[in-house]
Amino acid sequence: MADHLIIFDTTLRDGEQSPGASMTKDEKMRIAKQLERLRVDVIEAGFPASSNGDWEAVHAIAGAIKDSTVCGLARANEKDIERCGEAIRPAKSGRVHTFIATSPIHMQMKLRMTPDAVFDQAVKSVRLARAYTDDVEFSPEDAGRSEPDFLCRLLEAVIAAGATTVNIPDTVGYTVPWQFGALIASLRERVPNSDKAIWSVHCHNDLGLAVANSLASVMHGARQVECTINGLGERAGNASLEEIVMAVKTRKDVFPCTTRIDTTQILAASKLVSGITGFPVQPNKAIVGANAFAHESGIHQDGVLKHRETYEIMRAEDVGWNANKLSLGKLSGRNAFKTKLAELGIDLGSDEAVNHAFVKFKELADKKGQVFDEDLQALVSDETLTPEQEHFRLISLKVVSETGATPNARVAMAAGDAQLHAETSGDGPVDAVFKAIERMAPSNAKLLLFSVNAITTGTDAQGEVTVRLERGGRIVNGNGADTDIIVASAKAYLNALNKLHGKQERLNPQLAA
Ligand code: KIV
Ligand code: ZN
């Protein structure tokens, strides 16, 4: 029988370390629920000692998730492990993941610690973590550039101290597949008690090798892979979950293991993460890119029509693509709407949120006639669904834009109970709208990103706008969708302002790593 490959998702921790990808507690919860539907084995929900917000997010996720282990990250010190242990306490199955750097460069230049001090600290930390849970993971950070002899000595000691998983990170994405695979093989062979722990890998993508390195290590006995949705993560990101999972599933003739992932949930997870973080997925991205299953050349189309497997190694529907099926229309009722949400794996949490989303759906159906699954996903990915959560709301806007003339915008919006109006001109219609909003609700935030994507095809498609604002080191993403991209832009800007406004605590995922 094939071994089980544990899928450890770190979108909410390493993924959140991508500059600009910080998430609110509610956003993290929505992603955690989708990861549970995806049936990932372990969700690394955050780094509890990094901020109160992250502690709360990990604690809330630990309380809500029943079918995946919830893990928190902790540096190898008492305070971090204590915070992490407390945060995961409500979990049905909770894990503490503690780490310390082991490469000469990190020990000397960053930690300014001797190898012996690092050794003692690691062992002490694993013992302490075991006081909170029986499920303890240890990572020697920058293992890819660490001395193998030191790694062997340390890994033997942490396993003896109670680590149940030892994770080998290629922190800076420096290794190449045959070298990383050989490292895993040799560590497993040389560490005397290696059979007492699960061997895991955590690869970064600086050389574009994260997935290849992870898969090479699976061939040498790694039975946990750490990865993220869309390959999100520090710098060039982590190994992409969808690529790892589909490689193992598609090439079961090669890999000696299987996962328990419900692959039909992959696309929904990808869209959710992309919508929340504002990181678009490139069209040619494997598995989840818009073109991943599109056949353009006549020869390919002809082949696929005659016999699908001529050019397709996976079925699009196996990862959640369903060919833009017509979803609902303006005559659809609340029940059909609720059923469709369930079919798409969307859980809005409360009847109130469903009602509010239903009103938005009706408005959209009136404008657009046909509402596709992608439209619904965009509609609910607007995080501030209940009116109470929306301090700033768009009431109306009028934009005048003409060749050769300066665009002008008149915007009416609500701020709590107050109704405000402003009229301004700008370099373009969107600029004019943003200036009008800033006049009414000055945030003095810096606009870091403005991006527009069409949700479906056709000129009647909704535009989905992402706005990224930064103020005092805090970065928030706002999303808005509408058939009118100027209105979508205003909604996205207000969505970002609502997050800055501060009903929900924002997280600062600064890692020492
Ligand atoms: O890349 C890394 O080394 C990490 C560790 C904390 C596992 O993210
Ligand atoms: Zn990492």
Side-chain angles (χ1 to χ4, degrees):
M1 230 185 62
D3 283 357
H4 176 61
L5 179 65
I6 298 170
I7 298 295
F8 176 115
D9 180 278
T10 183
T11 306
L12 298 177
R13 199 279 297 170
D14 216 319
E16 204 202 20
Q17 285 170 229
S18 304
S22 76
M23 304 166 204
T24 64
K25 181 173 147 193
D26 285 359
E27 288 167 337
K28 285 189 136 197
M29 180 63 86
R30 281 177 43 219
I31 292 177
K33 289 193 170 156
Q34 179 57 26
L35 293 173
E36 188 182 33
R37 275 191 287 275
L38 188 60
R39 291 174 50 79
V40 306
D41 300 276
V42 187
I43 298 173
E44 188 163 55
F47 178 22
S50 69
S51 70
N52 289 340
D54 221 14
W55 188 91
E56 275 166 26
V58 175
H59 191 252
I61 290 168
I65 297 296
K66 300 293 168 231
D67 193 35
S68 307
T69 294
V70 177
C71 173
L73 182 70
R75 283 166 296 195
N77 67 55
E78 240 169 79
K79 197 173 143 275
D80 271 35
I81 291 170
E82 210 175 280
R83 289 289 281 162
C84 184
E86 292 300 335
I88 60 148
R89 206 183 277 288
K92 196 166 155 216
S93 163
R95 175 181 296 188
V96 171
H97 173 193
T98 184
F99 74 100
I100 190 163
T102 52
S103 63
I105 186 171
H106 275 228
M107 290 191 290
Q108 279 161 28
M109 313 306 285
K110 184 182 83 170
L111 298 176
R112 299 188 197 286
M113 284 169 80
T114 62
D116 283 348
V118 165
F119 182 97
D120 291 345
Q121 191 75 24
V123 172
K124 215 166 74 188
S125 301
V126 168
R127 272 203 202 107
L128 177 61
R130 280 296 297 247
Y132 293 92
T133 170
D134 289 344
D135 187 350
V136 172
E137 173 170 329
F138 173 78
S139 292
E141 191 197 358
D142 202 16
R145 294 188 299 172
S146 300
E147 302 280 352
D149 289 351
F150 179 56
L151 271 185
C152 286
R153 194 162 72 83
L154 179 60
L155 291 169
E156 181 185 358
V158 292
I159 294 171
T164 43
T165 300
V166 283
N167 176 50
I168 309 303
D170 179 18
T171 303
V172 290
Y174 181 68
T175 63
V176 292
W178 53 93
Q179 177 192 22
F180 196 62
L183 173 68
I184 302 302
S186 121
L187 292 174
R188 287 184 63 236
E189 203 181 293
R190 291 181 57 197
V191 172
N193 51 1
S194 67
D195 60 326
K196 302 281 181 305
I198 305 249
W199 288 78
S200 166
V201 290
H202 174 111
C203 299
H204 278 272
N205 207 29
D206 300 68
L207 293 173
L209 294 170
V211 169
N213 285 342
S214 306
L215 293 175
S217 67
V218 169
M219 296 308 288
H220 290 283
R223 287 295 175 266
Q224 173 176 289
V225 172
E226 303 200 352
C227 45
T228 57
I229 303 292
N230 300 337
L232 202 65
E234 277 275 1
R235 307 180 309 279
N238 290 63
S240 130
L241 179 145
E242 55 278 9
E243 293 175 24
I244 300 279
V245 167
M246 289 314 289
V248 169
K249 183 178 161 95
T250 308
R251 296 305 310 272
K252 28 179 163 331
D253 56 324
V254 169
F255 292 103
C257 47
T258 53
T259 73
R260 62 163 208 154
I261 296 295
D262 175 357
T263 60
T264 63
Q265 292 293 330
I266 284 179
L267 190 65
S270 164
K271 291 201 167 180
L272 183 65
V273 169
S274 161
I276 284 177
T277 58
F279 281 50
V281 173
Q282 77 200 51
N284 57 327
K285 164 84 177 63
I287 320 292
V288 292
N291 292 349
F293 293 89
H295 299 279
E296 186 69 22
S297 104
I299 297 173
H300 289 209
Q301 285 173 351
D302 180 53
V304 169
L305 287 174
K306 285 181 176 143
H307 187 80
R308 190 178 183 152
E309 281 83 32
T310 49
Y311 286 99
E312 278 189 9
I313 58 164
M314 296 169 273
R315 294 185 330 155
E317 49 276 39
D318 286 352
V319 295
W321 289 102
N322 57 4
N324 236 4
K325 261 196 332 221
L326 177 60
S327 174
L328 298 168
K330 61 183 185 176
L331 297 178
S332 307
R334 195 175 173 284
N335 233 345
F337 177 70
K338 260 185 98 168
T339 310
K340 190 72 202 174
L341 290 184
E343 226 178 276
L344 293 173
I346 297 166
D347 173 11
L348 293 180
S350 69
D351 273 357
E352 200 194 355
V354 174
N355 291 342
H356 190 63
F358 184 61
V359 173
K360 287 184 161 186
F361 155 71
K362 281 289 190 185
E363 284 166 11
L364 178 63
D366 269 342
K367 272 193 228 158
K368 209 173 167 273
Q370 299 179 336
V371 179
F372 295 94
D373 291 354
E374 289 83 348
D375 291 316
L376 282 182
Q377 262 145 352
L379 187 136
V380 299
S381 79
D382 182 356
E383 180 237 357
T384 48
L385 274 175
T386 62
E388 304 75 71
Q389 285 175 294
E390 291 176 347
H391 179 73
F392 300 117
R393 292 184 313 280
L394 180 69
I395 297 172
S396 64
L397 68 78
K398 180 176 175 190
V399 174
V400 181
S401 178
E402 196 183 336
T403 327
T406 307
N408 185 276
R410 195 187 313 152
V411 181
M413 64 181 251
D417 293 333
Q419 284 208 9
L420 311 168
H421 302 260
E423 188 167 345
T424 46
S425 54
D427 289 340
V430 172
D431 186 50
V433 167
F434 288 0
K435 281 188 173 138
I437 294 174
E438 274 296 318
R439 185 168 290 175
M440 293 180 276
S443 72
N444 298 317
K446 192 167 157 205
L447 180 66
L448 297 183
L449 172 100
F450 171 73
S451 86
V452 188
N453 286 300
I455 293 174
T456 54
T457 50
T459 48
D460 68 342
Q462 284 198 92
E464 186 174 43
V465 174
T466 302
V467 161
R468 185 171 300 148
L469 297 181
E470 190 260 337
R471 187 177 65 190
R474 271 179 175 172
I475 296 177
V476 293
N477 289 310
N479 300 309
D482 201 277
T483 46
D484 179 331
I485 58 165
I486 309 293
V487 174
S489 304
K491 285 182 180 172
Y493 199 88
L494 290 171
N495 185 236
L497 285 190
N498 277 322
K499 292 179 185 175
L500 274 183
H501 182 67
K503 283 216 165 166
Q504 304 183 60
E505 189 164 0
R506 283 148 305 275
L507 313 173
N508 178 359
Q510 290 312 312
L511 253 187

